[in-house]
Amino acid sequence: MPAVFRFAPSPNGFLHLGHAYSALLNFDRARETGGQLLVRIEDIDATRCRPEFETAIYQDLAWLGIAWESPVRRQSEHLDDYRAALDKLSALGLVYPAFESRGEIARLVAAREADGPWPRDPDGAPLYPGDAKSLPADERARLIESGAPYALRLDMTVACRRVAGLTWNELGEAPDGEHGLIQARPEAWGDVILARKETPTSYHLSVVLDDALQGVSEVVRGQDLYHATSVHRLLQALLGLPEPAYRHHRLIRDEAGRKLSKSTRSTGLRDLRAAGATPAAIRPLLGLG
């Protein structure tokens, strides 16, 4: 089978040099291996994603000289796939609803930290501090029937008991130089959110399922998602999905050393193009041959 790669942007803004670097790396890997490059539109956030940004993504990729397979998969068109995966995890007793708002969670964390530092996930966010797991079933049902907002969380403790000793094959550049067989540590993330009342999926769940359904064999993406691979390997094991190889790459940063943002006009591909930049100038700018 040919190798399959994917570039999966969210249409919530215009692409910048960091996106160009990742897209070009995926394109180059597809050509090197005689494989396929897919483009996937990760548009589950209906409040921020807009059609004009999706159109701009295609324009920017074409300007860079990148070709991809058709059709493009849009996550918003496949919500039933994510619901089915969520139902499978629920049937295993691994999902529970949590009803605290973001403000309530912040207050719970502050109260916990009165007795010492509260643990953080690899991105620096506090682990879920609530006790929704212990809510009686009738109370959960009452809250859901009342229309209360909720997030569906993975019971990380139980999930890790089911599939211990997970690893992945790292082909790229991990933040601390790790390479080869990497031990997954999903427990470092606590009870991650898999879906919300109004959206039957989250980034973690949808990206894992999409990669499996599209036959992605090598995931090429930024180092900012390196630690999230532990959660993705856990979900793959729980759902019986194949394991791709992973190739994490360095991030393109601004002059202050910060990860690029879609609001940074000086590095936006559309702005660079308007200023007279050519596609041939982008590769050396990114350190690519």
Side-chain angles (χ1 to χ4, degrees):
M1 297 293 291
V4 179
F5 303 83
R6 50 80 164 172
F7 176 61
S10 295
N12 55 11
F14 295 117
L15 299 188
H16 53 58
L17 284 173
H19 297 112
Y21 183 63
S22 193
L24 287 167
L25 285 178
N26 275 281
F27 180 54
D28 290 351
R29 285 290 296 152
R31 288 195 300 177
E32 290 165 6
T33 61
Q36 299 176 328
L37 175 64
L38 310 178
V39 170
R40 182 165 73 227
I41 300 298
E42 299 193 338
D43 60 346
I44 57 173
D45 186 348
T47 61
R48 298 177 61 205
C49 295
R50 289 159 37 188
E52 58 266 35
F53 292 139
E54 181 178 342
T55 298
I57 287 170
Y58 303 140
Q59 292 171 343
D60 286 339
L61 294 179
W63 177 71
L64 288 170
I66 293 174
W68 60 91
E69 304 291 323
S70 293
V72 169
R73 180 180 174 94
R74 295 180 186 84
Q75 290 181 336
S76 60
E77 297 173 351
H78 298 276
L79 297 183
D80 285 345
D81 291 339
Y82 311 131
R83 286 190 184 94
L86 194 62
D87 288 346
K88 183 174 181 178
L89 295 172
S90 296
L92 294 172
L94 299 176
V95 178
Y96 67 90
F99 300 91
E100 298 93 345
S101 66
R102 288 181 175 87
E104 288 169 332
I105 286 177
R107 288 190 289 274
L108 284 172
V109 170
R112 303 286 192 274
E113 290 191 322
D115 299 321
W118 185 252
R120 256 66 176 171
D121 68 25
D123 283 345
L127 300 192
Y128 172 65
D131 55 2
K133 266 191 293 194
S134 62
L135 277 180
D138 58 348
E139 179 63 10
R140 290 179 180 177
R142 185 192 68 76
L143 287 167
I144 291 173
E145 289 172 6
S146 73
Y150 59 86
L152 292 172
R153 292 182 176 270
L154 178 69
D155 189 330
M156 186 63 74
T157 301
V158 176
C160 288
R161 285 200 206 108
R162 293 184 67 97
V163 284
L166 293 171
T167 60
W168 78 83
N169 185 21
E170 178 58 55
L171 305 176
E173 309 171 47
D176 295 319
E178 303 94 333
H179 188 81
L181 196 65
I182 305 297
Q183 188 72 39
R185 294 188 60 248
E187 67 278 3
W189 291 86
D191 290 359
V192 294
I193 292 175
L194 297 181
R196 295 187 183 276
K197 174 186 175 182
E198 65 280 4
T199 307
T201 189
S202 64
Y203 168 74
H204 292 309
L205 182 60
S206 56
V207 73
V208 162
L209 195 62
D210 288 341
D211 285 343
L213 292 175
Q214 294 190 284
V216 174
S217 56
E218 184 176 315
V219 175
V220 181
R221 63 187 183 186
Q223 289 177 348
D224 53 334
L225 292 168
Y226 171 81
H227 293 291
T229 308
S230 289
V231 176
H232 300 169
R233 283 293 296 118
L234 176 61
L235 291 174
Q236 287 159 359
L238 293 170
L239 292 167
L241 303 177
E243 171 195 353
Y246 288 89
R247 186 182 297 271
H248 293 92
H249 60 72
R250 64 184 175 89
L251 300 178
I252 305 299
R253 299 185 180 275
D254 63 17
E255 294 178 353
R258 296 170 299 204
K259 175 186 169 184
L260 297 186
S261 164
K262 287 181 177 176
S263 62
T264 308
R265 293 181 60 83
S266 62
T267 59
L269 295 184
R270 290 170 64 86
D271 298 304
L272 291 169
R273 185 161 71 245
T278 64
I282 299 299
R283 280 185 174 272
L285 187 63
L286 296 170
L288 294 171

